């Protein structure tokens, strides 16, 4: 809905759920209680919100995917939900009549068939990843973390931090997924890929590496990835513990954003004409552990979800030769993990 943006608060307390805020005065407009919401997306027509539920209260010992309709006033109305087939459901993507959700702890990928009205009809497939990499504690087994459609719309990219790989599955909007990967991209050992995004030209993929504290740039062509660059998200002098989280484009794709949890900052990269990255500046997230960051649609506002400080920190932004983020105000909500507009 125009004039609103949403934030997911992943808490088991009575303040956990989905918050709606006004882009005009940044006031809270609505709140939909729902414990342990970790990630939210709109349906293609923006009439629904799909949510990954990290630790389901409705289906104990499982994750969950839930569907809400977006009412005229921005209020959300619960439609239905199904168990996700694994623990720590953490991301969502839709392709035609199907929805996909990775379960981080279990290392599984769940496919759901959607009804014509967009509600969840059934869980149609559950794919178990297996494998490991060199990190002694974070990569002893598969940890599926992100799902993203490729630019052509015929493959689903599944980022697996534990296996240190990105799996590409053939998908059909009417018939669903082929469970045998069409292609697997091996990432740099121990780098721990977390999320992937593709540019609008469809020729470049950017991957933020949770364990490597970096962003990798890949050429994307003919269904394969070719590594071109890996660049740090941190200042050279920083040596303390850090893990990366969110990766986002600026609205015109001139800049790329990556968040640092530990340094508690937002790294801003200029995207060159060759699609490679140059670090422009690193600014404070104004809170602790920025799990997500995004630019709010049709506004001059950006928001950082700082998980550990329980704050949604808001910025005004302006762009000339550089992208400037100017802190504006802070809103307290429990464990903000995702921003949606």
């Amino acid at each position: 809905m125009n004039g609103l943006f949403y934030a997911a608060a992943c808490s088991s307390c009575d303040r956990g759920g989905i918050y709606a805020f006004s882009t005009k005065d940044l006031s809270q407009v609505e709140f939909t209680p729902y414990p342990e919401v970790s990630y939210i997306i709109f349906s293609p027509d923006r009439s629904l919100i799909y949510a990954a539920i990290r630790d389901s209260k409705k289906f104990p010992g499982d994750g969950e995917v839930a569907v809400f309709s977006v009412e005229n006033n921005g209020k959300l109305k619960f439609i239905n939900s199904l168990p996700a087939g694994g623990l720590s459901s953490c991301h969502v993507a839709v392709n035609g009549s199907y929805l996909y959700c990775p379960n981080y702890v279990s290392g599984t990928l769940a496919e759901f068939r959607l009804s014509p009205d967009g509600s969840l009809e059934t869980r149609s497939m559950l794919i178990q990843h297996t494998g490991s990499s060199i990190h002694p504690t974070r990569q002893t087994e598969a940890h599926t973390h992100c799902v993203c459609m490729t630019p052509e719309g015929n493959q689903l990219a599944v980022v697996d931090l534990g296996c240190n790989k990105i799996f590409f599955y053939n998908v059909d909007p009417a018939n669903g997924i082929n469970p045998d990967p069409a292609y697997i991209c091996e990432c740099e050992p121990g780098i721990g890929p977390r999320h992937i995004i593709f540019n609008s030209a469809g020729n470049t993929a950017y991957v933020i590496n949770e364990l490597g504290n970096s962003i990798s740039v890949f050429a994307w062509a003919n269904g394969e990835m070719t590594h071109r660059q890996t660049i740090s998200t941190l200042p050279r002098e920083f040596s303390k513990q850090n893990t990366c989280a969110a990766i986002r484009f600026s609205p015109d794709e001139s800049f790329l954003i990556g968040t640092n949890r530990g340094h508690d900052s937002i790294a801003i990269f200029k995207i060159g004409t060759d699609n490679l990255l140059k670090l422009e500046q690193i600014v404070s997230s104004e809170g602790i552990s920025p799990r997500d960051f995004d630019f709010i649609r049709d506004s001059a506002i950006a928001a950082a979800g700082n998980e550990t400080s329980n704050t949604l920190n808001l910025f005004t932004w302006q762009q000339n030769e550089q992208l400037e983020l100017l802190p504006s105000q802070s809103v307290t909500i429990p464990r903000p993990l995702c921003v949606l507009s």
Side-chain angles (χ1 to χ4, degrees):
M1 182 178 177
N2 292 335
L4 296 181
F5 69 96
Y6 295 87
C10 185
S11 174
S12 59
C13 75
D14 57 6
R15 295 182 59 233
I18 303 173
Y19 290 75
F21 296 95
S22 167
T23 58
K24 183 178 180 180
D25 59 9
L26 307 180
S27 62
Q28 181 181 320
V29 176
E30 293 289 346
F31 170 60
T32 304
Y34 213 92
E36 301 284 349
V37 180
S38 62
Y39 204 83
I40 51 177
I41 64 168
F42 282 116
S43 62
D45 66 359
R46 299 176 65 88
S47 67
L48 303 172
I49 281 180
Y50 294 105
I53 312 302
R54 183 178 181 274
D55 182 9
S56 176
K57 304 306 177 186
K58 184 182 296 186
F59 309 107
D62 207 335
E64 180 184 350
V65 174
V67 188
F68 302 85
S69 63
V70 182
E71 306 298 296
N72 289 334
N73 58 1
K75 187 177 180 63
L76 302 185
K77 180 181 178 182
F78 176 77
I79 297 177
N80 74 335
S81 69
L82 289 173
L87 297 173
S88 292
S89 307
C90 56
H91 211 254
V92 197
V94 170
N95 181 46
S97 299
Y98 290 87
L99 177 145
Y100 299 94
C101 174
N103 300 302
Y104 177 82
V105 169
S106 301
T108 55
L109 170 66
E111 177 190 71
F112 297 84
R113 187 164 61 245
L114 301 176
S115 299
D117 64 0
S119 62
L120 298 167
E121 185 175 295
T122 186
R123 193 176 70 220
S124 49
M125 192 171 297
L126 188 66
I127 298 171
Q128 177 69 62
H129 280 196
T130 58
S132 61
S133 190
I134 64 173
H135 194 284
T137 59
R138 298 291 307 279
Q139 293 185 316
T140 59
E141 58 187 352
H143 291 305
T144 48
H145 213 318
C146 167
V147 283
C148 178
M149 292 300 300
T150 60
E152 300 79 8
N154 62 351
Q155 288 189 327
L156 180 76
V158 182
V159 182
D160 193 314
L161 184 151
C163 294
N164 212 68
K165 299 174 182 178
I166 304 172
F167 295 75
F168 291 84
Y169 294 92
N170 289 334
V171 291
D172 183 278
N175 299 304
I177 194 168
N178 182 329
D180 298 318
Y183 168 67
I184 300 174
C185 174
E186 300 258 2
C187 299
E188 298 168 62
I191 206 165
R194 177 184 172 94
H195 283 186
I196 184 172
I197 56 177
F198 293 87
N199 65 355
S200 58
N203 60 14
T204 303
Y206 297 90
V207 178
I208 194 159
N209 304 302
E210 179 168 337
L211 306 182
N213 298 315
S214 60
I215 293 174
S216 295
V217 183
F218 295 86
W220 171 255
N222 302 315
E224 293 189 0
M225 305 256 280
T226 302
H227 180 260
R228 299 188 64 208
Q229 179 190 26
T230 293
I231 185 169
S232 176
T233 59
L234 293 169
R236 290 183 179 180
E237 66 274 12
F238 186 80
S239 60
K240 296 180 181 179
Q241 176 66 30
N242 186 81
T243 56
C244 285
I247 183 169
R248 303 282 193 178
F249 290 116
S250 64
D252 69 351
E253 288 191 21
S254 295
F255 295 88
L256 188 74
I257 303 297
T259 66
N260 292 305
R261 299 174 296 177
H263 190 252
D264 297 331
S265 61
I266 301 162
I268 303 173
F269 298 87
K270 177 70 173 177
I271 301 175
T273 55
D274 57 1
N275 294 322
L276 298 180
L277 301 178
K278 178 185 177 183
L279 181 62
E280 291 285 306
Q281 59 177 321
I282 301 174
V283 301
S284 172
S285 70
E286 301 297 322
I288 302 172
S289 195
R291 179 72 169 252
D292 199 13
F293 177 94
D294 206 0
F295 296 89
I296 305 307
R297 181 184 173 116
D298 299 327
S299 79
I301 303 166
N306 285 293
E307 178 180 3
T308 303
S309 57
N310 298 311
T311 52
L312 187 67
N313 291 84
L314 304 172
F315 300 79
T316 56
W317 65 273
Q318 55 190 19
Q319 180 180 323
N320 295 302
E321 292 299 314
Q322 288 190 323
L323 175 66
E324 294 185 63
L325 293 176
L326 307 172
S328 63
Q329 68 185 76
S330 176
V331 178
T332 299
I333 61 174
R335 294 190 69 201
L337 298 196
C338 181
V339 179
L340 175 66
S341 71

